[in-house]
Amino acid sequence: MLDLNEEEILPLSLQHTFWTWSAQGSVSPIPVKRAKGVYFWDIHGKRYLDFNSMTMCVNIGHGEQRVIDAIIQQAQELPYVAPAMASKPRALLGKLLAEVTPGDLNRFLFTLGGADANENAIKLARAFSGKHKILARYRSYHGATAGAMAATGDPRRLAWEPNLMGGVVHFLDPYRYRSTFHRTNPDISEEDFCLDYLNHLEEIIQYEGPQTIAAILIETVTGTNGILIPPPGYLQGVRDLCDRYGILLIADEVMSGFGRTGEWFAVQHWGVVPDLMTMAKGLTSAYAPLGAVAMREEIAEFFRERVFQSGLTYTAHPISLAAAIATIQVMQEDHLVEHAAEMGKVLHRLLNDLGEKHPSVGETRSIGLFGAIELVRNRRTRQPLAPFNGTSPEMIAIRQFLLDHGLFLYTHWNILLIIPPLIITEEQLAEGFAILDQALTIADEAVEHSL
Ligand SMILES: Cc1ncc(COP(=O)(O)O)c(C=O)c1O
């Protein structure tokens, strides 16, 4: 195989490739050489603790031999078949997924990742319902293709407007720490807080006309936009509104699925079965690209005599399917969902301790191994350490400190995301938190001491 000197990896990558989500002149990629467990190493031998599972996707951890072997075996046996053909991994993965997904989500349409899973879920919902509008939330990310970007509520959508898919209407998220409706009464009960947001959604349904709304698309637990965990009753309330008004519920579990929250899928915390559920990332733990739309039998049945007018060359790619089968088996054999729930308690405690110690911590949130630290300049006013859709010298300095000290994670405006591989141990969590503890002194210095 063509090879090169390790020192050439970075300059050649910079010279010939075009980088996503970046100005080409300002990228500074880590040249990664290898990865194992919860760590990865750069070409100079520097080790990083991966507190973000790369792109919130390597759920079972790096370098898992059982998945690598399955990929090799599938590549040797049958690396590709046309999407219209049946194959052993297709047969096996469908069966396995039907076992781990809730309710009668028993049919699966395979895609290449999360964005096109959401695109296809929208197509299915529109065709099935005969209606066109999609309601989605502002603090959401659903992918970077035109339809998924239109559904995305966060500012990543704005650069591509107005040439995105039409028919999306956004509504507000039940984000308690920065709740629009409760600035003057932040101590409102959980029940009333939840009700206010369900009433808000119902009002929008009425204004838009339920007869025009195909689906409500939500991240069950909001990911990049800050680990926003729905209050008790919210998800059931959304499900009830969907049932009352004849609207389909699409749960985007691209990030929250596959053990991340301490259940196979986050909807299971609240006993809700969506009509369509999208997944990707943890589905193969990123050992190969794959997404899927799980659908209720009734939706699949609708297409028994009707053609589903869509598809992709790499739909149900056998190598990706083999990676998914092996990933699910690893999760089952090693009880990783249970482990994530257990370690989630440790993460929760570590986050609380950090919050008590550092005045710059406005709020911490977590469910399973899905956590966030929201940094503020002032706990009373809740002024964020970086503005909406922006950054600040302090956030840049914190990120640099963490990288310098071998801790890799994502930051989102004023929020630090903690999304480690599910195999992480208590000691490894503590190791990362010791570095975070030091880094937060940078944030503490920015805290306003006056009222
Ligand atoms: C909740 C959610 N949905 C969809 C996507 C898009 O997935 P992909 O990047 O695989 O297209 C992401 C990616 O981060 C996501 O977090």
Side-chain angles (χ1 to χ4, degrees):
M1 195 177 108
L2 195 63
D3 208 356
L4 48 65
N5 186 317
E6 274 173 11
E7 296 302 325
E8 293 177 276
I9 292 175
L10 187 55
L12 269 177
S13 299
L14 287 170
Q15 191 177 344
H16 292 292
T17 60
F18 192 89
W19 304 82
T20 52
W21 303 112
S22 312
Q24 302 303 301
S26 64
V27 296
S28 170
I30 303 172
V32 180
K33 182 170 178 188
R34 67 189 181 91
K36 186 74 188 164
V38 295
Y39 299 102
F40 64 91
W41 288 260
D42 71 11
I43 57 165
H44 309 295
K46 177 170 173 169
R47 192 185 79 167
Y48 293 86
L49 173 57
D50 186 357
F51 252 31
N52 200 64
S53 309
M54 285 288 172
T55 320
M56 303 87 165
C57 52
V58 188
N59 287 13
I60 61 165
H62 300 281
E64 172 50 64
Q65 200 57 45
R66 286 166 286 181
V67 180
I68 296 167
D69 288 343
I71 290 172
I72 294 170
Q73 200 189 331
Q74 188 60 47
Q76 281 167 343
E77 205 173 297
L78 182 66
Y80 178 73
V81 289
M85 294 176 181
S87 66
K88 188 161 83 180
R90 189 195 270 264
L92 281 173
L93 181 58
K95 186 168 173 291
L96 269 182
L97 281 175
E99 281 165 22
V100 296
T101 49
D104 64 338
L105 293 168
N106 290 337
R107 292 284 281 268
F108 306 92
L109 183 165
F110 293 110
T111 67
L112 313 188
D116 51 335
N118 284 324
E119 298 272 349
N120 278 289
I122 290 170
K123 282 181 183 164
L124 286 162
R126 283 179 165 174
F128 177 78
S129 66
K131 302 189 274 182
H132 73 284
K133 274 184 203 153
I134 304 294
L135 302 194
R137 292 190 305 211
Y138 276 107
R139 292 188 189 258
S140 70
Y141 179 72
H142 296 294
T145 51
M149 196 60 115
T152 291
D154 83 21
R156 281 173 273 192
R157 163 175 45 91
L158 305 180
W160 303 102
E161 286 181 332
N163 299 312
L164 297 171
M165 178 187 80
V168 179
V169 176
H170 288 104
F171 61 101
L172 292 168
D173 314 68
Y175 179 13
R176 176 125 203 177
Y177 188 64
R178 298 193 185 281
S179 175
T180 311
F181 303 135
H182 308 105
R183 295 202 178 134
T184 52
N185 57 336
D187 298 326
I188 186 168
S189 71
E190 280 265 83
E191 219 179 333
D192 287 346
F193 168 77
C194 175
L195 200 59
D196 283 344
Y197 278 90
L198 290 172
N199 287 339
H200 157 71
L201 175 57
E202 183 165 20
E203 200 170 331
I204 288 183
I205 291 171
Q206 283 163 350
Y207 289 142
E208 292 298 330
Q211 72 281 9
T212 70
I213 303 169
I216 295 176
L217 164 61
I218 54 172
E219 287 179 71
T220 311
V221 174
T222 301
T224 339
N225 278 274
I227 317 300
L228 307 177
I229 304 156
Y234 180 80
L235 219 61
Q236 293 93 330
V238 175
R239 176 75 266 182
D240 289 348
L241 286 173
C242 284
D243 293 343
R244 192 161 350 125
Y245 290 103
I247 296 168
L248 296 173
L249 176 60
I250 309 175
D252 179 341
E253 293 254 1
V254 169
M255 204 183 276
S256 59
F258 289 93
R260 175 53 61 200
T261 65
E263 290 279 357
W264 276 93
F265 296 93
V267 286
Q268 291 166 319
H269 286 282
W270 297 281
V272 164
V273 181
D275 301 294
L276 294 146
M277 189 168 79
T278 58
M279 56 189 92
K281 294 188 187 277
L283 171 58
T284 60
S285 263
Y287 282 76
L290 186 68
V293 187
M295 69 191 91
R296 296 185 108 156
E297 291 287 2
E298 194 191 348
I299 296 176
E301 262 318 292
F302 175 83
F303 292 96
R304 180 166 289 281
E305 307 295 335
R306 297 174 180 87
V307 176
F308 179 63
Q309 292 283 5
S310 195
L312 302 158
T313 302
Y314 300 129
T315 292
H317 195 290
I319 291 179
S320 299
L321 300 187
I325 293 165
T327 297
I328 293 172
Q329 283 179 321
V330 166
M331 290 181 65
Q332 288 174 330
E333 279 167 27
D334 296 357
H335 307 287
L336 290 187
V337 180
E338 294 82 348
H339 181 72
E342 216 34 57
M343 286 304 107
K345 292 181 202 154
V346 177
L347 174 61
H348 201 75
R349 177 168 47 75
L350 289 166
L351 284 168
N352 276 343
D353 292 349
L354 208 67
E356 274 173 24
K357 184 165 171 197
H358 293 277
S360 55
V361 174
E363 182 173 75
T364 60
R365 299 182 282 275
S366 74
I367 178 166
L369 286 170
F370 212 20
I373 304 168
E374 183 148 346
L375 298 174
V376 293
R377 292 184 191 281
N378 185 320
R379 275 189 175 170
R380 190 183 56 80
T381 62
R382 302 186 177 180
Q383 187 194 349
L385 191 60
F388 180 82
N389 198 24
T391 187
S392 64
E394 293 90 354
M395 288 304 294
I396 292 169
I398 290 168
R399 194 172 147 70
Q400 193 55 52
F401 182 97
L402 296 174
L403 283 177
D404 289 347
H405 289 77
L407 184 66
F408 174 77
L409 50 70
Y410 269 31
T411 56
H412 180 77
W413 312 340
N414 67 320
I415 295 172
L416 304 174
L417 297 169
I418 318 283
I419 311 179
L422 309 184
I423 55 166
I424 200 160
T425 64
E426 189 163 350
E427 293 71 34
Q428 290 161 339
L429 277 169
E431 179 188 326
F433 270 77
I435 303 171
L436 277 168
D437 183 27
Q438 293 173 47
L440 288 195
T441 55
I442 300 171
D444 291 345
E445 278 165 24
V447 169
E448 294 167 2
H449 291 291
S450 61
L451 286 178

